[in-house]
Amino acid sequence: MTESNIRYSAALIEPKWQAKWAEQKAFAAKPDPNREKFYALAMLPYPSGSLHMGHMRNYTLVDAVARYRRSKGYNVLHPMGWDAFGLPAENAAFERGVHPAEWTYRNIDNMRSEIKRVGISIDWDREFATCHPDYYKHQQKLFLEFLSEDLIYQKESVVNWDPVEMTVLANEQVEDGKGWRSGAPVERKIMNQWFFRITAFSESLLSAIEDQLDRWPAKVRTMQTNWIGKSQGAELTFQLVGRKDVLKIYTTRPDTIFGASFMGLSAGHPLAKEVAKAHPEVASFIKECEALGTSEAAIEKAEKKGVDTGLKAIHPVTGAEIPIWVANFILMDYGTGAIFACPAGDQRDLDFARKYGLPVYPIMEGSNGSGSEILDEAYTGDGKLINSDFLNGLSMSEGKARMIQWLEEKGAGNAITNYRLRDWGLSRQRYWGCPIPIVHCEICGAVPVPADQLPVTLPEDVAFDKPGNPLDHHPTWRHTSCPKCGNAAMRETDTMDTFVDSSWYFLRYCSPNASLEPLDGEAKYWMNVDQYVGGVEHAVLHLLYSRFFMRGMKQLGYVEQDEPFSGLFTQGMVTHETYQASDGSWLAPEEVRQVEGRWEDLDGNDVSVGPTIKMSKSKRNGVSPMDIIEAYGADAGRWFSLSDSPPERDFEWSEAGVEGAWRFTQRFYRLVQALIKGAKSGEVDVGNPALKGMHRLSNDVAAAIEDFAFNRAIAKTYEFINLAEKELASINPATRYEIVRRLLITVAPFIPHLAEELWEALGESGLVCKASWPEINEALLVDDSVTLPIQVNGKRRDQISVPKDMDTKQIEMLALQTEGVRRTLAGAEPSKIIVVPGRIINIVV
RNA sequence: GGCCCCUUGGCGGAAUUGGUAGACGCUGCGGACUUAAAAUCCGUUUCCUUUAUCGGAGUGCCGGUUCGAGUCCGGCAGGGGCUACCA
């Protein structure tokens, strides 16, 4: 039927159609108030040098959505740009003497051409790089506006210092006490830093997770909820014995107040520092705590330690005197940096109390009596309060409410909401970032650069011959005059965290022509991003910062909504098997082969196959997208990366898999060529099974894409291809034409080049990427007859084929007469027959 | 330690949301075509029993609800993720 020797050459047809798309600006997006818009976006890539498989998977996913939405009639915006500031460019400069700008723009050129070779339907007219002054001048303007809205402030504070990157990191960029990129243990330093007041929006950022982000993965919503870390509690004021000042503490368990046996101060607490002056033991303990830092892995194992200050606080109810200790497990930057400790109800407090022989007062008894006696385990469950004066007999929540009421009446405390979220420190001591538009004047202090003097551009003549920030070493750049008083002044040499660049870029895509303002009117039309796709590693950092920025820009009147991304999808990683030679060295996939069930290297030495893990340079298990495109074509690569796993899961790349995809593209080409050969205009045969299958396919693929279930869409396509090959001879010429036309539009989101090529072969004018999704005839989606399985006592025994609207009584009768049922019943009387129309029959004996 | 998710053939995964478990693909095996190979095509691939039928078991394990459970409920085990002294 189809001739086995017909082949198509991806190397010929793919560049041909890529050129046509570019020529005709097929994907250029223009606002059109009469059409519904759809903003599809992949997370902004860092121009590291070349595309990797993770990019290819990401962009293919978004591209399939974008192409599908276009054919569904949406006005689609699908842009691309570059997160172009960042440390690797400086490292390249340091190591190889290339200027960061040169290195970056060269990488961008390369990666742009690679993305084009994948056939991603980008509107390239909107492209930008965040390292270009045309981009960062707007960011500087936004900085000044945020500053005047009090959403940015300057503060001397303890910061996370990465000794390898020689820069400060935000809390979100410290993982397990180590720098997120360098992996170096983070040190504590006190520095003057600029901060975004992200905490101004704590409640809004939290409540919108519930109210507005219903199209976000539950996992990401949970992570952000935890990160914001809202807790309801109380702030209590303790009088101090023999002093006029008071001690404020935060607790979520005011009901445990009668179990208080000591107070705990953080080593950074002002009261602790004051005591230290006259108390060498306290002073040396504080020093010890500071030396440890917040970061050391040792903290995990670190014992609860402390020292008695000799001061005493007065219990607000009983008047008892409670000793005040400095303890190493209390954080300065959560709550007030001080606590009252109830050892019976908190494991940390209990460990501490046991170590220093402090009393333990049981205050909560569980239903089985647990909690009334405390040994080595604190009782944290609910129950009835005991030994607690007027709280006795109340539950935890009743006790909290009653105690807060009491505190408020006596003026000794009040209910308070606390968040774990901290403000976002944005200063970085690096060259390759957006300059902070501030001038430091000895007389006027920190003075904003006036808007008409923007941008503050980076100097190009910088040296990378010594570590640290080249801006500090530049002979002239930092010297300027104060915009206010005109005296000699110094520029801020810190630059902005690169996460600032990516916190509003999705808005800038909407306004490619605005040169004076960050945004023009187009943003109102395009926002929000309808479908955002990227890796889950940005669940807290980038996605939280962007949500903050959006709120700031709303406050400034740039946008109307709080949330930037209506729909979010987080894709899984691309993985590959690992290979190891006998000496333990890693081998790349192209350096090994399988011979009769065993693996060997190209010289025939044994190779052991290791676990399948994320593609990485160190394990050498990566596969280059460009090599794949060269060998099999972009369409085959796209097809494979969509076909195998659901996109939210990790995707195992294999040579056999991509070869299978390549075979499919060839088979598809052969089948469609064969169909086209016999196609002629005439009357369509509505009853043909292949035509019905085609209608069903368009319907199923549409549903699958909207569900982000590309693997299902592809399985359905295979089913149809199998059917069409079987039915080939039965399809009349007019029906062939109809099927091919529909089929090409339906698969075009996945294999766009091949679809265009065959579209042209069919004799259609224009591009398939511009064609409308096929209208579906609902009548063709249902079969006239259905096959019903028949169960006896829940076990399948036979089946019958009946007209789809057959009467229930009649179905029962037919079912009872089937051979399988009669054999199983063996004369027994059914007690009940359940007929679910169109589904199943179950006979109960 | 806390919170969350996952577990279906040799493998990736389907299953109309409580209704024929294993679609579709990959791999393997058998065969056709070919001098041969490549390519292509056909068959087969959950397990047990059987020559084949007929049958039995089966979605990590134990139990429950239901005419009917991969799907719902309770418990357990294994794997993964996030977070971590947050009072």
Side-chain angles (χ1 to χ4, degrees):
Chain A
M1 299 280 193
T2 61
E3 289 173 55
S4 65
N5 55 350
I6 298 179
R7 290 272 184 94
Y8 87 97
S9 163
L12 289 180
I13 73 166
E14 290 181 350
K16 167 181 156 191
W17 292 104
Q18 285 157 15
K20 287 227 161 125
W21 294 330
E23 252 165 58
Q24 302 188 18
K25 288 198 182 292
F27 311 120
K30 284 197 196 68
D32 177 353
N34 298 317
R35 285 169 68 202
E36 201 174 335
K37 65 91 186 178
F38 191 92
Y39 188 172
L41 186 63
M43 285 183 186
L44 186 69
Y46 178 77
S48 54
S50 50
L51 225 56
H52 58 241
M53 270 305 167
H55 291 126
M56 176 149 169
R57 187 183 194 195
N58 188 187
Y59 303 154
T60 303
L61 290 171
V62 183
D63 193 48
V65 172
R67 287 176 180 272
Y68 165 74
R69 291 284 172 179
R70 270 189 212 102
S71 70
K72 275 283 190 177
Y74 289 86
N75 190 18
V76 170
L77 174 62
H78 183 201
M80 180 70 68
W82 311 98
D83 187 16
F85 274 136
L87 204 53
E90 269 185 77
N91 290 340
F94 196 74
E95 285 158 19
R96 277 169 278 164
V98 199
H99 192 278
E102 192 196 326
W103 183 85
T104 303
Y105 284 115
R106 205 198 298 145
N107 287 346
I108 288 174
D109 285 343
N110 186 48
M111 289 175 76
R112 184 193 304 109
S113 76
E114 291 184 342
I115 291 174
K116 287 182 177 177
R117 286 182 67 191
V118 183
I120 307 297
S121 61
I122 299 292
D123 177 359
W124 287 105
D125 290 346
R126 293 169 185 265
E127 176 195 1
F128 56 77
T130 59
C131 64
H132 198 283
D134 282 349
Y135 182 80
Y136 71 68
K137 70 181 181 189
H138 297 301
Q139 190 162 303
Q140 290 175 339
K141 183 160 190 258
L142 290 171
F143 179 96
L144 298 177
E145 290 174 355
F146 272 54
L147 186 66
S148 63
E149 288 285 316
D150 197 33
L151 291 172
I152 291 180
Y153 64 95
Q154 197 179 19
K155 185 177 82 176
E156 182 105 331
S157 71
V158 178
V159 295
N160 310 298
W161 177 260
D162 186 320
V164 170
E165 300 204 344
M166 307 259 304
T167 184
V168 166
L169 298 178
N171 294 316
E172 289 83 357
Q173 293 157 14
V174 178
E175 293 166 356
D176 210 13
K178 297 182 180 113
W180 69 300
R181 265 192 317 234
S182 72
V186 167
E187 295 167 5
R188 308 173 82 192
K189 247 186 167 179
I190 294 184
M191 291 178 73
N192 205 15
Q193 297 282 295
W194 293 95
F195 287 85
F196 280 114
R197 202 180 295 283
I198 188 168
T199 54
F201 296 111
S202 297
E203 188 53 44
S204 160
L205 288 167
L206 182 68
S207 61
I209 293 172
E210 267 313 298
D211 304 340
Q212 293 182 54
L213 303 184
D214 54 299
R215 285 179 51 228
W216 280 41
K219 187 165 73 166
V220 175
R221 302 190 333 164
T222 310
M223 283 167 70
Q224 292 212 359
T225 302
N226 293 342
W227 190 264
I228 295 167
K230 179 177 183 171
S231 76
Q232 309 269 17
E235 194 168 84
L236 273 66
T237 307
F238 282 76
Q239 304 296 324
L240 300 176
V241 175
R243 289 175 62 112
K244 288 206 173 122
D245 56 345
V246 295
L247 179 62
K248 282 187 188 281
I249 65 95
Y250 172 74
T251 181
T252 56
R253 292 290 306 274
D255 56 307
T256 64
I257 184 80
F258 291 96
S261 68
F262 66 97
M263 311 294 291
L265 298 180
S266 159
H269 196 278
L271 186 59
K273 285 185 173 166
E274 189 205 310
V275 174
K277 285 178 195 160
H279 205 315
E281 212 186 320
V282 174
S284 72
F285 181 73
I286 290 174
K287 228 179 209 153
E288 195 187 315
C289 290
E290 279 171 353
L292 247 181
T294 51
S295 57
E296 297 297 325
I299 274 201
E300 262 174 59
K301 297 165 239 154
E303 223 183 320
K304 305 280 172 286
K305 272 189 182 173
V307 57
D308 192 349
T309 62
L311 295 177
K312 297 211 184 312
I314 300 167
H315 192 287
V317 185
T318 67
E321 295 189 355
I322 309 171
I324 302 177
W325 288 61
V326 180
N328 65 349
F329 65 93
I330 297 158
L331 304 173
M332 188 55 224
D333 43 8
Y334 185 77
T336 62
I339 61 160
F340 80 75
C342 171
D346 185 290
Q347 193 60 44
R348 292 157 305 179
D349 297 350
L350 182 63
D351 293 346
F352 193 90
R354 289 292 184 231
K355 176 162 173 137
Y356 293 104
L358 293 158
V360 178
Y361 311 117
I363 37 80
M364 180 69 81
E365 187 176 79
S367 54
N368 55 358
S370 54
S372 58
E373 202 177 338
I374 302 291
L375 296 171
D376 293 329
E377 243 175 88
Y379 181 76
T380 54
D382 206 345
K384 284 199 181 327
L385 285 158
I386 53 172
N387 305 326
S388 293
D389 199 326
F390 57 88
L391 299 181
N392 281 338
L394 300 180
S395 70
M396 192 191 290
S397 62
E398 291 164 347
K400 283 181 189 176
R402 178 75 190 86
M403 194 61 215
I404 287 170
Q405 189 195 346
W406 188 93
L407 289 164
E408 284 175 348
E409 279 165 12
K410 304 284 177 192
N414 51 280
I416 196 174
T417 303
N418 221 328
Y419 299 90
R420 283 183 46 192
L421 186 66
R422 318 274 160 71
D423 282 335
W424 167 22
L426 68 100
S427 303
R428 295 293 179 276
Q429 292 67 45
R430 306 301 325 176
Y431 164 73
W432 196 233
C434 173
I436 294 175
I438 291 287
V439 169
H440 294 283
C441 169
E442 282 192 8
I443 300 155
C444 310
V447 181
V449 174
D452 60 9
Q453 290 175 28
L454 296 181
V456 176
T457 51
L458 289 169
E460 283 172 29
D461 53 333
V462 282
F464 291 91
D465 47 356
K466 47 186 161 183
N469 184 355
L471 292 180
D472 282 332
H473 311 144
H474 192 278
T476 57
W477 185 79
R478 58 183 313 190
H479 300 280
T480 183
S481 57
C482 172
K484 230 183 200 169
C485 69
N487 286 321
M490 301 282 260
R491 286 194 189 286
E492 169 78 54
T493 57
D494 284 357
T495 54
M496 296 185 207
D497 182 0
T498 56
F499 276 101
V500 181
D501 312 338
S502 56
S503 290
W504 71 285
Y505 77 100
F506 43 86
L507 289 163
R508 185 65 198 164
Y509 282 140
C510 302
S511 309
N513 302 313
S515 63
L516 297 175
E517 292 293 322
L519 302 185
D520 62 21
E522 270 197 44
K524 294 224 189 324
Y525 175 77
W526 292 115
M527 283 302 283
N528 292 351
V529 176
D530 295 281
Q531 187 61 64
Y532 198 34
V533 183
V536 75
E537 66 274 15
H538 293 108
V540 181
L541 292 157
H542 160 61
L543 289 167
L544 189 65
Y545 294 151
S546 299
R547 297 182 60 218
F548 159 73
F549 237 83
M550 198 66 184
R551 282 165 172 75
M553 293 188 71
K554 182 187 177 191
Q555 193 170 314
L556 291 166
Y558 284 108
V559 293
E560 289 161 343
Q561 53 276 78
D562 287 323
E563 289 296 333
F565 314 121
S566 305
L568 172 70
F569 188 89
T570 49
Q571 98 230 20
M573 297 180 300
V574 183
T575 65
H576 197 287
E577 276 183 332
T578 46
Y579 308 101
Q580 255 178 315
S582 52
D583 65 356
S585 63
W586 300 98
L587 296 170
E590 63 271 15
E591 295 170 334
V592 300
R593 60 187 169 201
Q594 198 172 14
V595 183
E596 286 163 14
R598 81 175 245 290
W599 289 84
E600 59 177 36
D601 67 13
L602 301 182
D603 299 326
N605 301 310
D606 272 341
V607 167
S608 63
V609 176
T612 299
I613 52 171
K614 183 180 181 180
M615 287 184 178
S616 80
K617 276 189 188 145
S618 63
K619 300 290 188 293
R620 306 194 60 214
N621 63 336
V623 174
S624 150
M626 292 307 116
D627 291 350
I628 295 300
I629 289 174
E630 221 161 90
Y632 304 102
D635 283 337
R638 292 169 61 115
W639 186 259
F640 177 48
S641 65
L642 292 171
S643 68
D644 230 37
S645 306
E648 68 275 15
R649 296 202 202 163
D650 285 355
F651 170 58
E652 190 180 337
W653 189 272
S654 70
E655 318 312 311
V658 70
E659 257 170 59
W662 178 83
R663 274 202 303 275
F664 166 78
T665 57
Q666 296 295 348
R667 182 179 162 206
F668 181 84
Y669 181 79
R670 279 195 303 274
L671 171 69
V672 174
Q673 286 287 10
L675 283 165
I676 289 174
K677 223 174 185 178
K680 250 191 216 139
S681 60
E683 196 163 327
V684 173
D685 170 15
V686 183
N688 185 279
L691 184 72
K692 291 176 90 169
M694 189 57 238
H695 277 260
R696 204 174 304 127
L697 179 66
S698 294
N699 191 57
D700 291 349
V701 167
I705 293 177
E706 290 183 27
D707 263 10
F708 252 77
F710 300 96
N711 55 324
R712 228 169 58 211
I714 281 175
K716 295 285 183 189
T717 307
Y718 274 111
E719 264 180 73
F720 172 76
I721 297 300
N722 290 342
L723 171 72
E725 279 178 349
K726 219 166 263 151
E727 293 290 336
L728 192 54
S730 81
I731 313 172
N732 77 22
T735 311
R736 287 179 177 224
Y737 169 79
E738 185 64 17
I739 286 175
V740 172
R741 210 183 57 81
R742 288 171 174 273
L743 179 58
L744 294 178
I745 301 170
T746 304
V747 300
F750 311 131
I751 43 173
H753 310 88
L754 193 44
E756 295 287 6
E757 180 71 13
L758 291 164
W759 186 254
E760 186 184 57
L762 183 65
E764 295 298 287
S765 59
L767 296 167
V768 72
C769 66
K770 295 278 193 185
S772 297
W773 195 258
E775 292 291 330
I776 288 151
N777 181 350
E778 302 281 339
L780 295 183
L781 298 181
V782 276
D783 285 320
D784 300 332
S785 71
V786 286
T787 302
L788 296 178
I790 308 167
Q791 299 180 332
V792 176
N793 287 335
K795 286 202 193 307
R796 186 177 170 283
R797 295 300 178 182
D798 214 322
Q799 60 180 39
I800 44 170
S801 192
V802 298
K804 74 171 191 293
D805 42 15
M806 183 183 253
D807 174 76
T808 306
K809 282 280 163 228
Q810 222 173 333
I811 292 175
E812 280 183 22
M813 253 171 54
L814 287 173
L816 286 170
Q817 282 161 18
T818 57
E819 204 202 314
V821 170
R822 287 208 309 233
R823 187 172 51 226
T824 315
L825 288 181
E829 248 342 272
S831 63
K832 194 173 171 188
I833 303 177
I834 294 150
V835 177
V836 184
R839 286 264 184 275
I840 204 166
I841 303 155
N842 194 8
I843 299 168
V844 188
V845 184

